[in-house]
C-alpha cells in the first residue's frame, strides 16, 4: 500500500501553514514540519519553554545549553524573536494566541478527542508535559500520525481507548494515508494518498468518512 | 546597606529544613541550578517535596538529589525521559510520590501562588484522567477545572546576572520557570554567573525585581554557551 | 513578509466597530495613547465600552472621547480626579455606565483574559461594597471573591518602540497596562515613537512579543521626557 | 491640645520602617513618609503603577511624563530600580511581597477594618484605585490619619460606618495623638503625644484602649 513518507507528511502540513501564523510544533514527527516551511514564508515558531521566533538547529559548535526546544534539542533564535517565562509562554497557548499547534497522537476520535500522552499501561510512567495545554490552546490543532497501528488497527476511532489529552480539540488529521478534517458533520476527507481509493481508505478506518464538500 | 550576595552556596543553603517544599528551576538542563542542587545534597535536608518541570536527567543535578534519597514527593509535568532512570527506579519501587501536572497548569499554579490568587479555573486537562474528581465549571460555554496555587518554602533558581538588591536577568530559554518560582517561595536563592553593580542592569530589562529574591550566589559557568545571539536571516532561511 | 506597521492612525483604526469593547492603556497620562484616542474620535465608532484605569483627565485624550459621546460604559478603578469633569458630568447625568473595579482586580482580570483563565479567586475587595452579591470562597483560611476575565475587541496602547513583527518595548512607568491589554484583545494597536529594524530589540528585553500585536503606528513624541535614566545614589540620598 | 504635626507623623512612621523593607506609600499624607526615611537606610519604595526602587521628585526641568507615582506626580528611579506591568505590580501586593503599606483612612475599626475609599454619600462619585489591593496585600498595613474628625468624633470606631476598603487588615494606627497597635487583644497604645494622658486619649477615642504590654 502506498503511503506518504514522514517528510511528505511534514511538507503537506507545512504547506497548510500560512505566512504570519504563530505555530507550535510538538516533539517528534511534528518537529519535522519546520524543515519544510517554504523559503521566504515568515512563520512564527513558538516553543513552550519560552521562545517565540525559534530558528533552526545551530551550526555544529554553536550549540547553546541555554537555547533548546521543547524536545531539549539545541535551536537558535531568529532576529525578531523573544524570550519569556513559562507562565507567559503557556498563557500564549491557553489564551488562544497560537494559530496552529501540530501534535502526534496515539488515537483521535471522530469528535476530535485526542489521546497522545499515555498508553495507560499499568507499568508505564506517565508524563504529560505541555501536551494538554497545546491540545486545547491553539486556534487549530493538527494531528500528524500514521493511519494504522503496527498491528493494522485504525488510529482514528469512534471513542479513544487510551487516556485522553483533550476533548474535541483536533481540527485536522494528517495521516500517512489521508488528510481528514474533523467537523460537526463528521470526518471529511480532504486528500488521499495516490493509489488509494476512498472506499479502501474507508475500509482501513474505524469510523465513517465523508467526501469533503 | 542591603546586600543579598551570599559568600558561598553552603552559606546560602544553610537553613533549608527537612520537609521543605523546594521549587527548582529549569526545563531539562536549561536553567537548572546545578550548583545549588549539589549544595542541597551536601546540606542534607530530607523528606523534601520538589517542584520541577522534570524529574532529573542522567545521574547529576536533580537526579542526584533523588538518588541521595532526600526527596519524598515530586510535583512535575514530565518525569519520564530517556535518561530519567533514577526517577524511574524510585517511582517503580514506590519510594517517591508523584503529582503529575500539565505543564501550563504547573506554571500557572506557581504564578498564582506568587500573585496571591486563591485558585483559578483552567481549561487544560478538563475531561482527562489528570482532572479526575476535581471541581469543574462551565464558563461562557467552555469547561474548566479548578486549580490551586503551589507555594514553596524555598526556590532554587539559576539566573545570568544579579545585583546586591537581588535583581535578576536570565539568559535565553534558561529563563523558563525561574521568574515565577522566585515569586512563589518564601526564600528564593538564585545562582548567577555575574554579580554586577547596582544600576548596571537596565531597569526596563530586569526580569525578576529584587523583591522576589532573598539570596544570590555566584557560580562559574559550566554549560556550553554561544555568543551568537541570533542566527542571521540568511542562515535561517 | 509580515509587516504590522500601519501607514497612519486612520488606517490602523479603520475597522473598529460600534459597540466594541476597547481597552485603552495608561495610568493617568503615562502610557495613554493620545494619538490613537484622537484617531478613534475622528473614526467615530459609538456605543463603546472602554476599559481604562481612569476616566479621563482634563479635556483631551480619554476625556475627549467621553465628551464626544462615543462611550456607553466605562470599566475602571479610579474615575474621580481633580480634573475628571467630563466624566463627572456624564456620570451624574446618567449618560455613562460605570463598572468600578479595584485596580489589582482590573489588572488581573485583563491578564486572565489574555492567559485563557476562566475565572479566579482574588482576596481583594472581599467584604466590601464592590464585591456585594458576588461568589465568595474560603481557601486555606482566607476569604476570596470570584473574578471574571475582561476580554476586549480592541486594545489601544502606547509603547516606546516596535518592529514589523509587532514586538514592543515600553518606557519607564508608561508600561503599566499596555502589556496585559495587548494579550486580552482580539485586535491590538500600538502607537510607538520608534520603528526599529527586526532584531534591533533585545530578545531578552522585549516586553510584548509580536504575537499579541496586530498593528503598529508611529507617532511623534509629545510628552516631556528626561534622558536621565536614574538619579544617582548621591542625589537620591 | 498638643498634636503631632504631619511631618512629625511622617517621621514617626519612617522611623518604624526597617532597612531593606519593601514599602508602598499611599497617596496623600503617607507620601510624606518618603521624605523622612533616615539617610543611608535602604528602603525599597513600590509604586502601584509598576515601579520598584522609586526615588524622590526630580530636579526642576527633569520631570518625565513617563515616570510618575500613584498620585501622578513626577518621580525618579534609583539605581537598582525596575519597571514592570500592572498585573506584576499588583501581584507583588496581593502575593504578600510588600512588608509595609501606609494608607490614609476615614475610619479604622477596633478589629482593623479599614474605610478609606468612599464617603458613601449618595452624590459622591466612587473611585477605589489600588486601595483595596494595598489594604489586604502587604504583610503590615499602617494607617496615618488624624485621630478626630473635624467635628471632633473619633476616627477609631467600634464598627466602620463608611464603606469598607478591607476587613481586619490594619496592623497599626499612626494618628496625630497616638500610635496604636491593633491586636487580637484589642487596641494597644504604643505611644501618646507629649502632654496627653492615657485617660484623656481614651476619652477622645470611641473604643476601649489598652496600655501596650
Amino acid at each position: 500500500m502506498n503511503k506518504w513518507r514522514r517528510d511528505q507528511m511534514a511538507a503537506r502540513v507545512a504547506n497548510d501553514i500560512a505566512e504570519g501564523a504563530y505555530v507550535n510544533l510538538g516533539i517528534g514527527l511534528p518537529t519535522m514540519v519546520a524543515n519544510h516551511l517554504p523559503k521566504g514564508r515568515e512563520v512564527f515558531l513558538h516553543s513552550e519553554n519560552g521562545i517565540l521566533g525559534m530558528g533552526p538547529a545551530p551550526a555544529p559548535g554553536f550549540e547553546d545549553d541555554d537555547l533548546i526546544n521543547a524536545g531539549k534539542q539545541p535551536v537558535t533564535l531568529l532576529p525578531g524573536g523573544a524570550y519569556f517565562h513559562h507562565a507567559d509562554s503557556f498563557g500564549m497557548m491557553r489564551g488562544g494566541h497560537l494559530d496552529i499547534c501540530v501534535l502526534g497522537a496515539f488515537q483521535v476520535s471522530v469528535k476530535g478527542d485526542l489521546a497522545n500522552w499515555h498508553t495507560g499501561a499499568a507499568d508505564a510512567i506517565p508524563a504529560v508535559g505541555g501536551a494538554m495545554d497545546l491540545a486545547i490552546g491553539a486556534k487549530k490543532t493538527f494531528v500528524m500520525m500514521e493511519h494504522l497501528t503496527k498491528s493494522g488497527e485504525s488510529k482514528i476511532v469512534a471513542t479513544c481507548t487510551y487516556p485522553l489529552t483533550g476533548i474535541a480539540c483536533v481540527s485536522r488529521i494528517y495521516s500517512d494515508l489521508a488528510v481528514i478534517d474533523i467537523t460537526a458533520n463528521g470526518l471529511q476527507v480532504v486528500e488521499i494518498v495516490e493509489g488509494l481509493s476512498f472506499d479502501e481508505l474507508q475500509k482501513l478506518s474505524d469510523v465513517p468518512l465523508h467526501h469533503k464538500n | 546597606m542591603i546586600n543579598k550576595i551570599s559568600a558561598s552556596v553552603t552559606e546560602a543553603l544553610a537553613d533549608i529544613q527537612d520537609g521543605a517544599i523546594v521549587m527548582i528551576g529549569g526545563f531539562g538542563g536549561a536553567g537548572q541550578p546545578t550548583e545549588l542542587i549539589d549544595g542541597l545534597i551536601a546540606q542534607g535536608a530530607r523528606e523534601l517535596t520538589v517542584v520541577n518541570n522534570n524529574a532529573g536527567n542522567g545521574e547529576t543535578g536533580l537526579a542526584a538529589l533523588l538518588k541521595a534519597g532526600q526527596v519524598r514527593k515530586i510535583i512535575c509535568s514530565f518525569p519520564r525521559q530517556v535518561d530519567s532512570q533514577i526517577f524511574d527506579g524510585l517511582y517503580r519501587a514506590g519510594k517517591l510520590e508523584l503529582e503529575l501536572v500539565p505543564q501550563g497548569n504547573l506554571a500557572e499554579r506557581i504564578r498564582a501562588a506568587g500573585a496571591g490568587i486563591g485558585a483559578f479555573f483552567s481549561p487544560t486537562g478538563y475531561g482527562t484522567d489528570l482532572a479526575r474528581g476535581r471541581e469543574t465549571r462551565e464558563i461562557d460555554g467552555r469547561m474548566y477545572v479548578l486549580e490551586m496555587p503551589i507555594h514553596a518554602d524555598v526556590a532554587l533558581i539559576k539566573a545570568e546576572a544579579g545585583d546586591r538588591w537581588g535583581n535578576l536577568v536570565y539568559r535565553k530559554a534558561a529563563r523558563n520557570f525561574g521568574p515565577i518560582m522566585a515569586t512563589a517561595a518564601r526564600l528564593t536563592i538564585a545562582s548567577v554567573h555575574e554579580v554586577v553593580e547596582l544600576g548596571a542592569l537596565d531597569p526596563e530589562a530586569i526580569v525578576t525585581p529584587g523583591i522576589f529574591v532573598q539570596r544570590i550566589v555566584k557560580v562559574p559557568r559550566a554549560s556550553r554557551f554561544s555568543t551568537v545571539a541570533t542566527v542571521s536571516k540568511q542562515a535561517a532561511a
Side-chain angles (χ1 to χ4, degrees), chain A, chain B:
Chain A
M1 184 166 59
N2 193 27
K3 292 181 182 179
W4 282 316
R5 295 186 315 269
R6 291 160 64 90
D7 63 317
Q8 289 174 311
M9 291 168 69
R12 183 66 184 78
V13 174
N15 191 50
D16 283 352
I17 298 177
E19 181 156 71
Y22 291 89
V23 180
N24 186 298
L25 302 174
I27 58 180
L29 184 52
T31 303
M32 285 182 64
V33 172
N35 302 331
H36 294 272
L37 292 167
K39 276 194 205 305
R41 186 187 293 181
E42 287 193 330
V43 167
F44 306 106
L45 296 183
H46 171 266
S47 188
E48 65 188 21
N49 53 320
I51 311 173
L52 194 66
M54 184 168 62
F62 289 92
E63 296 87 357
D64 187 322
D65 290 338
D66 289 339
L67 186 46
I68 58 175
N69 65 13
K72 277 99 177 178
Q73 301 158 312
V75 292
T76 51
L77 189 76
L78 298 179
Y83 302 112
F84 32 84
H85 64 54
H86 244 80
D88 282 349
S89 183
F90 280 78
M92 279 182 198
M93 291 184 201
R94 202 192 302 107
H97 303 284
L98 295 177
D99 295 298
I100 295 169
C101 159
V102 187
L103 295 172
F106 297 146
Q107 291 176 326
V108 177
S109 84
V110 67
K111 289 183 176 163
D113 296 348
L114 171 67
N116 79 344
W117 73 280
H118 191 19
T119 61
D123 67 336
I125 294 176
V128 63
M132 289 185 181
D133 301 275
L134 284 165
I136 59 94
K139 292 192 185 82
K140 287 187 179 176
T141 296
F142 292 167
V143 158
M144 287 176 78
M145 64 178 189
E146 291 167 356
H147 205 92
L148 305 175
T149 65
K150 280 172 188 161
S151 52
E153 288 152 358
S154 174
K155 293 172 76 170
I156 307 177
V157 294
T159 307
C160 293
T161 53
Y162 287 120
L164 292 181
T165 307
I167 290 182
C169 55
V170 178
S171 317
R172 178 173 267 199
I173 299 166
Y174 295 84
S175 84
D176 51 354
L177 300 182
V179 178
I180 301 173
D181 277 345
I182 296 174
T183 77
N185 301 318
L187 300 176
Q188 305 203 328
V189 177
V190 177
E191 192 177 340
I192 306 179
V193 66
E194 207 173 313
L196 191 71
S197 71
F198 180 88
D199 289 346
E200 287 167 326
L201 181 71
Q202 177 62 80
K203 268 187 207 158
L204 292 166
S205 307
D206 221 16
V207 291
L209 303 178
H210 307 276
H211 289 280
K212 176 85 173 180
N213 299 326
Chain B
M1 193 182 92
I2 296 301
N3 185 3
K4 297 184 179 179
I5 314 296
S6 289
S8 68
V9 168
T10 307
E11 180 186 302
L13 302 178
D15 53 359
I16 298 178
Q17 304 289 309
D18 287 356
I21 300 173
V22 182
M23 289 179 174
I24 302 179
F27 179 90
Q32 180 172 262
T34 311
E35 297 82 358
L36 299 180
I37 298 170
D38 289 347
L40 186 55
I41 295 170
Q43 193 263 7
R46 303 185 72 81
E47 295 293 316
L48 302 174
T49 295
V50 165
V51 183
N52 182 264
N53 187 59
N54 303 107
N57 300 73
E59 306 272 330
T60 61
L62 179 51
L65 182 68
L66 298 182
K67 192 173 182 179
Q70 294 172 248
V71 181
R72 187 183 66 74
K73 177 181 176 180
I74 189 157
I75 301 174
C76 71
S77 88
F78 207 76
R80 187 199 62 225
Q81 297 176 86
V82 288
D83 57 351
S84 62
Q85 61 270 19
I86 302 290
F87 168 83
D88 297 2
L90 289 166
Y91 179 75
R92 289 221 160 90
K95 291 181 177 170
L96 192 56
E97 187 183 339
L98 170 66
E99 180 180 342
L100 190 70
V101 183
Q103 194 171 166
N105 286 352
L106 182 65
E108 190 70 10
R109 289 174 63 189
I110 294 167
R111 191 255 171 203
I117 300 300
F120 62 91
F121 285 101
S122 168
T124 301
Y126 173 76
T128 74
D129 288 355
L130 294 187
R132 187 168 287 171
R134 306 273 295 291
E135 179 175 340
T136 61
R137 184 179 297 211
E138 183 175 340
I139 301 170
D140 277 344
R142 193 172 194 192
M143 296 304 301
Y144 292 86
V145 182
L146 188 68
E147 295 287 339
M148 306 304 290
I150 304 175
H151 293 269
D153 297 301
V154 182
L156 305 180
I157 63 172
K158 172 183 158 148
E160 175 64 13
D163 62 30
R164 67 178 177 84
W165 280 8
N167 294 305
L168 299 177
V169 295
Y170 301 81
R171 189 167 175 277
K172 302 188 177 184
R175 183 183 304 194
N176 57 66
F177 282 91
I180 51 174
M181 287 182 169
T183 71
R186 287 189 294 109
L187 169 62
T188 293
I189 304 167
S191 73
V192 297
H193 294 310
E194 278 186 78
V195 172
V196 300
E197 284 301 301
L198 207 61
L201 299 177
D202 179 357
E204 304 282 5
I206 288 171
V207 174
T208 295
I211 191 171
F212 298 122
V213 179
Q214 282 68 47
R215 296 172 198 163
I216 283 182
V217 60
K218 186 174 173 175
V219 301
R221 191 187 301 279
S223 52
R224 292 178 299 174
F225 74 107
S226 169
T227 53
V228 179
T230 56
V231 296
S232 75
K233 287 298 287 180
Q234 214 150 18

